Amino acid sequence: MLPDLITPVPGPRSQQLAARLGEVECRNTTFRSPEWPVFWERAEGVNVWDADGNRYLELTSAFGVATLGHGFTAEAVRHQSRDLLHAMGDVHPARLKVELCERLSAITFESWTGGKGKTLLGNSGFEAVEAALKTAALATRRTGILAFEGAYHGLGYGALLGAGIPWFREPFDNQLARITTLLPFPADETGLDAFRSALANVDGHDIGAVLVEPIQGRGGIIIPPPSFLRELREWCDQTGALLIFDEIFTGLNRTGKRFACEWDGVVPDLVCLGKALSGGFPISACVGKAAVMDAWPETHGEALHTSTFLGNPLGCAMAIAALDEHLKPATTAAAADQGTALHTALMTLSGEPFVTAVRGRGLLQAIELHHPDGRPAGDVAIGIVQELLQQGVLLLPEGPTGHVLAFSPPLGLDAGEIGFAVEWLRQSLRRKNK
């Protein structure tokens, strides 16, 4: 449905909630200004309603979580909540943990290679990344990590070892081990040459883990040349390093395929999943080739990597419902078709002020903005995001300077909704040029 604004945005209830939140929450968490934020009350499909009753067209999937649409897995959690809210994940687990791990094996390594995958569950995406890094350390007995400029893998201390966006890492850099080599992430053939030159100077004997997003998300929706992942795979095979794909954002039909790595036909040793895995519950997974995951020793009653809520039955029930849908070829086809429709509409903005690139795959699209003198136009991007909020469209900026408008809507976006958002965006670009 198209937006239906009842009160000015943000409305009085959102303003009151923002003031109250400012009194009790860490000031570095929720950004607040006179125009920001609105407070969500409920969501369904591609729409969100705020505390003031305004309905929005939601083009972020809530950070990529609601790929199947807001509320898709709600019935699963309602059903499960009647029977079991919590189990003892690594001692006396819920039956659903078994079924979830089986689904994760089926959608990853069984689909890619015919062999089993084994899973280490977590709660947040960064925990999956940290589980993968630990697995690589156990399997290779090497401490070195190869990561990429512009990368985002979450903000836990282990995940920060792979951080390629400086402002996330720098405040805590003195507490982090000096074990990471950052390479340029290629956006084109020139970037690919720079990557190859940098990789040639890396001592592969020290590297145990190569951590990479097949498409960079927070780095600006950067799609590398087709040979990039293949060359990383070859390098890992030659050196014995493990290839880790962070598909927390790009996985599960976000890009028009079940996983972004499938565009290039490259199979990792380990893959990290989260966000759309449950459609709304904190659960994540590090899934690896069985032989790689067996680098972890057999437990004798005390797990080396676990948490209180590992394999929570609510999260497992939601993830099973989501994966059953993601396993359907029709779901992947729908994501590809709707992504094509969105990309085609966004391409009509190519000649508008500030627009220097339109790119994307599936339901992950981007518009890059620069000033006429070549400077990244992060100021224009945030202004547009705020203007669209006033029209009932939820959008976010990405990129190192916030100059990329990122589109990651849920499945179910129709032509009228796409047209509405694109036309308001066109008008906003032209107003910013006056």
Side-chain angles (χ1 to χ4, degrees):
M1 292 186 291
L2 294 175
D4 181 14
L5 300 184
I6 300 167
T7 64
V9 176
R13 289 198 65 195
S14 283
Q15 293 175 18
Q16 292 164 8
L17 288 166
R20 288 166 55 190
L21 187 63
E23 294 294 323
V24 292
E25 185 185 46
C26 170
R27 67 180 187 174
N28 188 250
T29 306
T30 302
F31 172 71
R32 293 179 296 116
S33 75
E35 302 83 18
W36 196 276
V38 298
F39 282 78
W40 292 20
E41 196 72 17
R42 65 186 181 94
E44 181 181 352
V46 299
N47 289 122
V48 167
W49 286 259
D50 73 10
D52 292 283
N54 295 309
R55 183 176 68 214
Y56 299 84
L57 180 60
E58 210 281 274
L59 300 182
T60 75
S61 296
F63 303 129
V65 169
T67 298
L68 296 174
H70 288 282
F72 183 87
T73 54
E75 183 57 34
V77 75
R78 279 193 292 266
H79 178 79
Q80 179 59 36
S81 66
R82 294 195 293 264
D83 297 328
L84 184 66
L85 294 176
H86 179 65
M88 300 176 69
D90 66 336
V91 177
H92 300 300
R95 167 185 54 82
L96 293 172
K97 189 178 81 166
V98 180
E99 296 182 11
L100 175 56
C101 290
E102 289 173 341
R103 298 295 202 290
L104 288 166
S105 175
I107 203 171
T108 58
F109 291 95
E110 289 180 45
S111 173
W112 294 333
T113 68
K116 289 285 186 182
K118 291 190 175 182
T119 291
L120 217 174
L121 292 172
N123 304 297
S124 186
F126 81 84
E127 295 178 52
V129 170
E130 293 179 350
L133 293 175
K134 283 185 175 181
T135 302
L138 290 172
T140 67
R141 303 295 177 184
R142 304 176 193 171
T143 58
I145 299 169
L146 209 60
F148 292 86
E149 296 168 1
Y152 180 85
H153 302 290
L155 301 180
Y157 271 98
L160 280 176
L161 291 170
I165 300 176
W167 65 79
F168 288 123
R169 178 174 175 143
E170 286 173 352
F172 312 102
D173 201 43
N174 289 336
Q175 293 180 297
L176 298 174
R178 300 294 189 268
I179 59 174
T180 303
T181 300
L182 283 179
L183 299 184
F185 189 89
D188 51 28
E189 291 300 322
T190 299
L192 190 62
D193 289 340
F195 154 73
R196 288 168 175 158
S197 296
L199 184 63
N201 293 319
V202 174
D203 183 355
H205 295 93
D206 296 329
I207 302 298
V210 176
L211 177 60
V212 63
E213 301 161 271
I215 297 174
Q216 281 196 345
R218 297 207 62 177
I221 320 297
I222 307 299
I223 303 171
S227 64
F228 171 62
L229 296 183
R230 292 196 291 269
E231 291 182 28
L232 280 180
R233 177 73 273 174
E234 292 169 2
W235 190 86
C236 288
D237 291 342
Q238 292 167 3
T239 62
L242 294 187
L243 182 60
I244 303 169
F245 284 166
D246 180 346
E247 293 250 21
I248 293 165
F249 190 24
T250 57
L252 300 175
N253 289 309
R254 170 54 55 193
T255 70
K257 291 186 180 292
R258 286 180 185 166
F259 296 94
C261 64
E262 293 174 354
W263 284 97
D264 300 318
V266 179
V267 176
D269 299 298
L270 299 153
V271 61
C272 301
L273 306 176
K275 291 188 182 292
L277 178 57
S278 72
F281 192 90
I283 190 167
S284 63
C286 165
V287 190
K289 296 175 180 176
V292 171
M293 294 300 289
D294 283 346
W296 289 88
E298 188 79 32
T299 181
H300 295 289
E302 192 63 60
L304 291 176
H305 185 93
T306 186
S307 63
T308 300
F309 293 97
L310 183 145
N312 178 271
L314 298 180
C316 287
M318 294 172 72
I320 289 167
L323 287 173
D324 283 347
E325 187 68 19
H326 285 297
L327 279 162
K328 297 176 181 176
T331 302
T332 303
D337 290 345
Q338 291 177 34
T340 298
L342 177 59
H343 182 77
T344 299
L346 293 176
M347 283 295 294
T348 68
L349 300 172
S350 295
E352 298 295 339
F354 306 106
V355 176
T356 53
V358 178
R359 59 177 174 268
R361 281 182 174 159
L363 292 171
L364 184 60
Q365 299 288 329
I367 296 178
E368 188 165 342
L369 306 179
H370 287 83
H371 288 285
D373 61 6
R375 290 177 295 118
D379 54 336
V380 174
I382 191 59
I384 289 173
V385 167
Q386 290 177 336
E387 279 194 12
L388 264 64
L389 185 66
Q390 299 300 315
Q391 304 304 323
V393 179
L394 295 174
L395 195 64
L396 289 174
E398 297 290 4
T401 61
H403 66 294
V404 177
L405 296 172
F407 297 78
S408 55
L411 271 166
L413 199 65
D414 65 31
E417 291 159 341
I418 292 172
F420 176 88
V422 169
E423 284 312 306
W424 273 112
L425 181 53
R426 189 188 313 278
Q427 292 177 34
S428 185
L429 287 164
R430 292 176 179 178
R431 279 193 297 272
K432 296 297 180 186
N433 196 41
K434 292 180 180 177

